[in-house]
């Protein structure tokens, strides 16, 4: 297993986000803030998993978006005064003792040299510097909940009733959550972000393909998970973007199944929803296929129906369409197909209205994708469904689930029992139509059947 084997498929390693792009992002955000204001973004604290062990650390995506800084104990402070802004980063100080145990830190000096900031200070100095600087602003843009010390400082600076406030009106009087402004920016991906997302999707696609190739009757769901996540890491992704869902048989009918502890049997469909995180950017791919390598007649009928609905939805991912049109298209194909198969006994129009379709397709067709797997961006600004623009990335993931363990599906024809199919791809909206970022991952029945078990 050499990396070179995959090099052609995976493409060139993309450039990380350049310092100048972080600067542009900051400027775009700051230009929307009121003058005489401060922007504060904090990283979350590290969380203890057990005793001396922490959960793998992942910082706040907004902070990552504006600075690229990945380490814990970080605060971004930007002060805008007379329409000039200064960006300050508070970071973990270099500490040779700690670094010997826990790993290298860029420290204050590293931050000053290589990052899109004007000045850096050790995290320990946040209280002193922040309380001093807040005296000179009237608005604080700040998301609470990441750093209690900073939350309290901001709260106190707004509520303080000292002499300086009474005499010269010193200090902020208002806190505004900046997250919606940042979300709007994050919703439209730059070329550099798209390259990272395409790479993350390629890594994930290869991992899915390897799972298909190495599958055999009797393999455990956890072993398939190990193949997938092993390939994420082998191909350069530091982590998954969300816990992998690997569900076989009736587990495929549980949308966010996570136990991954069952043996995979002949005749069962496995549903794998797994995506890597590469340089902070998520891929989100689902494939569903038979363990035996051969779809049964009923499995094939359901699979092809979901695939048709997915293709219909992808076609709607064009500039100028409302995002909801993809869901409407997918739902219509599914409802008509289920009527045709005799699973739904009313008309397709009625099934779309009366909840019949929702019995088998109970989730949305997609969500924004980016630094977060369920990425930010208001779906209905001013109450109206968002219209697609170039640079948006959305997942398209219709599915049908026939869990015969469900008390609301007791009259289900046994031939559909236990089938769970979801097909999920990551779609970039472009001026030239939808680009399927995850197109490397096969989904046609004949391609799947020829891959499954091939490496055994
Ligand atoms: N992987 C979770 C989702 O598709 O929403
Ligand atoms: Mn998804
Ligand atoms: Mn998914």
């Amino acid at each position: 297993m050499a990396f070179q084997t995959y090099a052609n498929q995976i493409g060139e390693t993309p450039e990380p986000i350049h310092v100048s792009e972080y600067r542009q992002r900051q400027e775009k955000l700051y230009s929307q803030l009121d003058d005489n204001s401060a922007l504060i973004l904090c990283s979350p604290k590290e969380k203890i998993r057990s005793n001396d062990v922490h959960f793998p650390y992942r910082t706040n995506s907004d902070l990552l978006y504006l600075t690229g800084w990945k380490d814990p104990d970080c605060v971004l402070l930007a002060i805008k005064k007379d329409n000039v802004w200064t960006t300050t980063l508070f970071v973990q100080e270099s500490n040779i003792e700690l670094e010997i145990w826990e790993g290298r830190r860029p420290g204050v000096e590293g931050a000053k040299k290589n990052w899109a900031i004007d000045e850096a200070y050790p995290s320990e100095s946040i209280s002193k510097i922040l309380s001093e600087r807040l005296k000179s602003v009237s608005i604080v843009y700040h998301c609470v909940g990441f750093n209690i010390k900073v939350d309290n400082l901001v709260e106190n600076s707004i509520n303080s009733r000292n002499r300086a406030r009474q005499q010269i009106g010193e200090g902020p009087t208002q806190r505004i959550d900046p997250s919606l402004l940042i979300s709007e920016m994050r919703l439209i991906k730059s070329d550099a972000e798209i390259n990272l997302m395409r790479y993350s999707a390629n890594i994930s696609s290869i991992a899915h393909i390897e799972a298909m190739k190495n599958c055999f009757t009797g393999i455990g769901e956890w072993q398939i998970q190990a193949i997938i996540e092993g390939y994420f890491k082998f191909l350069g992704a530091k982590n998954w973007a969300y816990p992998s869902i690997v569900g076989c048989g009736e587990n495929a009918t549980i949308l966010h199944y996570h136990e991954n502890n069952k043996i995979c049997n002949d005749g069962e469909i496995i549903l794998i929803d797994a995506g890597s995180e590469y340089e902070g950017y998520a891929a989100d791919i689902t494939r569903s296929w038979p363990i035996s390598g051969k779809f049964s007649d009923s499995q094939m009928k359901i699979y092809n129906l979901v695939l048709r609905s997915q293709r219909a939805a992808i076609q709607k991912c064009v500039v100028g369409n409302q995002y909801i049109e993809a869901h409407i298209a997918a739902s219509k194909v599914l409802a008509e197909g289920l009527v045709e198969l005799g699973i739904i006994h009313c008309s397709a129009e009625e099934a779309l209205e009366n909840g019949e379709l929702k019995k088998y397709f109970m989730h949305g067709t997609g969500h924004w994708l980016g630094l977060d797997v369920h990425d930010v961006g208001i779906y209905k600004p001013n109450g109206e469904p968002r219209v697609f623009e170039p640079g948006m990335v959305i997942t398209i993931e219709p599915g049908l689930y026939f869990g015969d363990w469900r008390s609301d599906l007791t009259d289900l024809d046994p031939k559909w029992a236990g089938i769970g199919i979801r097909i999920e791809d990551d779609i970039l909206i472009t001026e030239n139509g939808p680009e399927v970022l995850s197109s490397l991952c096969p989904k046609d029945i004949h391609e799947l059947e020829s891959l499954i078990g091939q490496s055994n």
Side-chain angles (χ1 to χ4, degrees), residues 424-438:
E424 176 174 28
D425 281 301
D426 305 339
I427 314 298
L428 168 68
I429 311 297
T430 83
E431 291 287 5
N432 304 317
E435 179 189 332
V436 182
L437 296 177
S438 46

Side-chain angles (χ1 to χ4, degrees), residues 22-23 25-42 63 66-67 74-90 116-119 121 126 129-130 133-134 136-142 150 154 176 178 182:
Y22 288 117
R23 279 289 188 195
R25 294 176 186 179
Q26 291 171 10
E27 295 202 359
K28 184 164 177 193
L29 174 64
Y30 300 161
S31 68
Q32 299 171 67
L33 307 182
D34 277 301
D35 206 14
N36 290 326
S37 65
L39 169 80
I40 304 170
L41 292 176
C42 304
L63 184 58
L66 288 171
T67 64
C74 174
V75 178
L76 166 79
L77 169 67
I79 301 278
K80 182 171 175 184
K81 238 178 161 23
D82 301 325
N83 288 314
V84 175
W85 38 78
T86 312
T87 301
T88 307
L89 212 57
F90 295 86
I117 55 167
D118 301 308
E119 43 175 32
Y121 292 102
I126 184 78
I129 296 177
L130 187 60
R133 294 200 182 173
L134 286 183
S136 68
V137 302
S138 44
I139 298 176
V140 185
Y141 295 90
H142 171 55
V150 172
V154 171
I176 298 176
I182 304 171

Side-chain angles (χ1 to χ4, degrees), residues 41 96 104 145 240 253 270 277 299 325 361 375 412 416 448:
L41 292 176
I96 190 65
R104 296 182 187 89
W240 38 252
T253 68
I270 186 154
E277 181 179 285
Q299 290 167 350
E325 291 177 58
F361 174 42
D375 208 30
L412 187 69
W416 313 117
L448 297 178

Side-chain angles (χ1 to χ4, degrees), residues 242 245 256 273 284 286 367 373-374 397 422 424:
Y242 55 91
I245 297 163
H256 283 174
D273 183 344
D284 187 6
T286 308
H367 51 82
V373 63
H374 289 178
E397 50 179 305
R422 179 161 68 251
E424 176 174 28

Side-chain angles (χ1 to χ4, degrees), residues 250-282:
E250 61 179 31
N251 294 338
T253 68
I254 299 171
L255 303 182
H256 283 174
Y257 172 72
H258 56 84
E259 285 151 314
N260 302 355
N261 61 2
K262 190 185 96 72
I263 292 284
C264 304
N265 299 314
D266 209 12
E268 292 177 334
I269 290 279
I270 186 154
L271 183 153
I272 304 175
D273 183 344
S276 64
E277 181 179 285
Y278 185 79
E279 287 296 314
Y281 287 88

